[in-house]
Amino acid sequence: MIWDSLRALCILQLGMALALVSRDEAWQRTISAWASRNPQLVRRSHLGTLGYASACFLWHALGTCVGTSAATEAQRDTTLALVTAGLAQLLRCCLAIIDDLQRFRNTHAASKVAESEARTVLATVRDEGAEAAAEAERWKMAAKNLELQVAAIRKQAESQAQEYMRLISENKSLQNQLSDFDIVFGDSRKKQT
C-alpha cells in the first residue's frame, strides 16, 4: 500500500515538473496561475509530501532494522520515498522558476508596449516637426515676398518723390518766369488798359 501511494505521488510530481519544464506556455501559465491563486495549498502539499516521504523512509528503515519488513520491499520503498522527496523539491524549484519567468514575460511585454508607444509618439513628433518646418519655410517665403514688395514700394515712392521735386522746381521756375514776364510786360499792359 505504501508503494502504491508513493508511486502515485512520484508520478504526479514528475508529471507536474514535466508540464512546467515543457515549452508549452499555456500549461506553464495555467499551473503558475493556479499556484499563485493557492500559495498556501501549494506549500502545504509540498510539506505534506516531504513529511509523508520522510515518514515512509523512516518506517521502512526502522522496519528493516527491526526485521518486520522484507529487505527488498524496504529498499524499494525507501528509494521511492527519497525520489518522491527529491521530486517535491524539484517541483517547488520549477514553480519558482516558472513564476520568475512569467514575471519576466510580463515585464518584457510591458516594455514592448512602452517601446511601441514611444515609437508612436516619436513618429508623431517627427511629423509635427516636419509640418512646423514646412510652415516655417512658407513663412520665410511670405516674408521674402513681402520684403520684395516693400522694396518695390520704396523704389516707387523714391521715383514719385523725385518727380514731385522736379515738378515743384519746374513750377517755381515757371512762376519765376511769369513774374519776370509780368515785370517786363507789366508796364506795357498797364498802359494799354
Side-chain angles (χ1 to χ4, degrees):
M1 175 162 140
I2 292 176
W3 164 254
D4 291 332
S5 63
L6 282 176
R7 188 170 58 174
L9 272 175
C10 192
I11 289 171
L12 180 66
Q13 288 178 349
L14 188 59
M16 290 286 284
L18 288 176
L20 285 173
V21 176
S22 73
R23 292 185 183 253
D24 188 10
E25 287 184 38
W27 275 100
Q28 291 174 353
R29 287 183 185 178
T30 303
I31 294 170
S32 178
W34 181 84
S36 296
R37 283 192 310 265
N38 304 303
Q40 289 295 332
L41 183 62
V42 171
R43 182 167 169 71
R44 286 180 188 158
S45 64
H46 174 71
L47 291 176
T49 301
L50 286 177
Y52 183 67
S54 298
C56 288
F57 177 77
L58 290 174
W59 176 263
H60 283 294
L62 288 176
T64 303
C65 290
V66 175
T68 59
S69 304
T72 56
E73 240 179 69
Q75 186 178 12
R76 178 192 68 195
D77 288 348
T78 53
T79 303
L80 193 56
L82 288 175
V83 168
T84 303
L87 282 175
Q89 286 296 91
L90 175 71
L91 187 59
R92 185 181 63 82
C93 290
C94 284
L95 280 172
I97 289 170
I98 293 301
D99 190 40
D100 290 343
L101 180 64
Q102 191 61 37
R103 264 186 269 136
F104 173 74
R105 284 179 182 154
N106 292 343
T107 304
H108 184 67
S111 68
K112 288 278 188 186
V113 168
E115 181 181 347
S116 174
E117 289 174 356
R119 285 184 182 176
T120 303
V121 168
L122 184 61
T124 303
V125 167
R126 283 183 184 158
D127 291 344
E128 289 173 357
E131 289 174 8
E135 182 144 351
E137 191 63 34
R138 283 193 298 271
W139 281 104
K140 284 180 184 178
M141 293 301 289
K144 191 180 255 187
N145 288 339
L146 289 174
E147 284 176 7
L148 290 174
Q149 287 176 357
V150 166
I153 290 171
R154 278 188 186 148
K155 193 172 183 180
Q156 185 180 6
E158 285 175 8
S159 67
Q160 285 178 351
Q162 287 174 354
E163 185 64 25
Y164 179 72
M165 294 307 281
R166 187 189 66 75
L167 289 173
I168 287 179
S169 92
E170 189 178 320
N171 187 15
K172 187 147 184 119
S173 171
L174 288 174
Q175 283 177 353
N176 285 341
Q177 284 177 5
L178 185 61
S179 72
D180 288 345
F181 186 71
D182 274 346
I183 292 174
V184 172
F185 294 110
D187 292 336
S188 53
R189 273 197 315 184
K190 286 183 188 177
K191 291 182 185 177
Q192 290 178 353
T193 47

